[in-house]
Amino acid sequence: MSRIVYINGEYMPEDEAKVSIFDRGFVMGDAVYEVTCVLDGKLTDFEGHVARLGRSLKELGIVCDITRDEWLEIHRKLIELNGLTLGGVYLQVSRGNAGDRDFHFPPAGTPPTVVLYTQEQPHMLDGPKVEKGVKVISVPDLRWHRRDIKTVQLLYASMVKMQAEAAGKDDAWFVEDGFVTEGSSNNCYIVKGNTIITRPLSNDILHGITRASLMRICAERQIKIEERLFTVEEAQQADEAFYTSASSFVMPIVEVDGVALSGGKPGPVAKHLREVYIEEARKAAI
Ligand code: PDD
């Protein structure tokens, strides 16, 4: 079934939506994106995603005058047109069609290219990864140093996912200066006793919207979160580990560089946080 997608103000079948070969997103990776989860046909953590989109656009000086209410309307219309109940909405804004390849930004007033589409994820709530947990390998963090901006420059993230899969694992953790930064497309955490440890926010990592919601949920329940750096070795000795993202909620990690955690099975803290996060996300979805 062909999806109905949104492109620059219009809704149309996906195979009719076209972007110029000179688009800055295509030629220069000059674009930002968001992925908002859809549960029961509703958007979760929407305000956080729109706020971060605004920040990413501002940091790169991409001008896009679509308002929060208009974003909401586009998301909702796509969900409805495509009958989406479980999955996500992908949104991308590039600096637009520059008319040629050029390192210089196109002139002010060049309209951005705005694309949104739905993605079904029928196994978001269950599936083998949730049941068994995921295995990760560590890799050097070779990305640029503005990881707080959600750009479409995802080549290295894509390469390390392939590397992990080639090694028979599920995902990769980036390591810089001896410390874990984040996962290839998620924020990561270790659990020691009743304390959850995660890297503090900076330009070194994406400021995850799921992370922010989980921290709020933990604070409301007096679950202790310590924001500090940790190493792969510390993770290997931890009681549990997990990661968060809009497309995976809270995902238990059961192995780091060949060392099993929590007996090689999803740990109780990760399982509990996953349940609580999904429950809260459902309640707050719009
Ligand atoms: N990835 N860190 C990185 C590098 C990410 O790519 C993501 C999200 C996160 C988690 O952010 P959030 O909780 O806001 O989803 C952290 C999305 C899901 C993706 O690229 O598909």
Side-chain angles (χ1 to χ4, degrees):
M1 192 187 82
S2 165
R3 279 170 290 191
I4 300 294
V5 304
Y6 173 95
I7 176 164
N8 300 328
E10 289 183 71
Y11 296 86
M12 62 181 75
E14 61 185 40
D15 49 0
E16 286 172 26
K18 302 273 188 293
V19 175
S20 164
I21 61 163
F22 301 120
D23 193 90
R24 291 282 301 183
F26 179 65
V27 184
M28 299 275 168
D30 187 357
V32 299
Y33 76 106
E34 282 297 329
V35 177
T36 304
C37 162
V38 173
L39 262 182
D40 311 323
K42 289 185 180 167
L43 297 153
T44 66
D45 287 333
F46 178 77
E47 307 303 339
H49 287 287
V50 175
R52 185 174 62 191
L53 171 68
R55 181 179 180 277
S56 295
L57 290 166
K58 190 158 166 268
E59 289 298 311
L60 297 182
I62 298 177
V63 179
C64 176
D65 55 15
I66 298 176
T67 63
R68 176 251 176 224
D69 289 356
E70 288 164 342
W71 284 125
L72 182 59
E73 194 189 317
I74 300 167
H75 278 76
R76 283 181 163 163
K77 188 153 178 191
L78 282 177
I79 291 170
E80 191 193 318
L81 287 171
N82 293 287
L84 181 69
T85 52
L86 186 60
V89 178
Y90 177 82
L91 172 172
Q92 179 171 324
V93 182
S94 86
R95 204 181 300 274
N97 175 4
D100 204 347
R101 179 176 183 268
D102 191 341
F103 281 90
H104 299 92
F105 289 176
T110 302
T113 302
V114 180
V115 169
L116 285 91
Y117 48 84
T118 52
Q119 291 189 304
E120 274 182 39
Q121 269 205 64
H123 293 295
M124 232 179 158
L125 291 168
D126 45 31
K129 284 190 180 173
V130 177
E131 310 275 300
K132 292 189 186 148
V134 299
K135 298 177 178 174
V136 301
I137 56 166
S138 66
V139 297
D141 199 338
L142 303 180
R143 300 172 302 161
W144 79 327
H145 283 269
R146 290 305 308 273
R147 302 160 194 156
D148 55 311
I149 307 173
K150 199 162 172 59
T151 78
V152 299
Q153 297 169 31
L154 296 173
L155 176 58
Y156 188 56
S158 183
M159 287 172 75
V160 300
K161 262 194 211 287
M162 297 301 290
Q163 188 184 331
E165 279 168 28
K169 312 297 176 189
D170 304 290
D171 203 359
W173 273 5
F174 294 126
V175 177
E176 186 169 61
D177 300 329
F179 295 100
V180 177
T181 52
E182 58 186 334
S184 69
S185 61
N186 44 65
N187 292 117
C188 43
Y189 310 74
I190 58 172
V191 182
K192 289 176 106 177
N194 289 324
T195 304
I196 292 153
I197 297 151
T198 195
R199 190 176 176 108
L201 297 181
S202 70
N203 292 353
D204 298 335
I205 60 168
L206 186 74
H207 302 188
I209 302 305
T210 319
R211 178 188 186 278
S213 291
L214 186 73
M215 290 189 78
R216 197 194 57 245
I217 288 168
C218 286
E220 285 163 3
R221 286 166 176 73
Q222 278 86 45
I223 300 172
K224 199 172 155 214
I225 296 208
E226 220 173 274
E227 289 183 86
R228 66 162 172 86
L229 305 188
F230 63 88
T231 61
V232 166
E233 293 68 34
E234 187 179 3
Q236 288 173 325
Q237 283 153 29
D239 297 317
E240 296 181 35
F242 62 90
Y243 67 65
T244 62
S245 79
S247 49
S248 62
F249 311 124
V250 175
M251 183 62 77
I253 294 174
V254 296
E255 189 190 293
V256 179
D257 278 347
V259 175
L261 300 184
S262 58
K265 288 198 226 110
V269 174
K271 283 210 283 205
H272 175 66
L273 291 178
R274 181 178 173 86
E275 274 168 30
V276 180
Y277 175 81
I278 293 173
E279 192 185 307
E280 293 291 322
R282 253 206 179 109
K283 269 197 246 160
I286 58 170

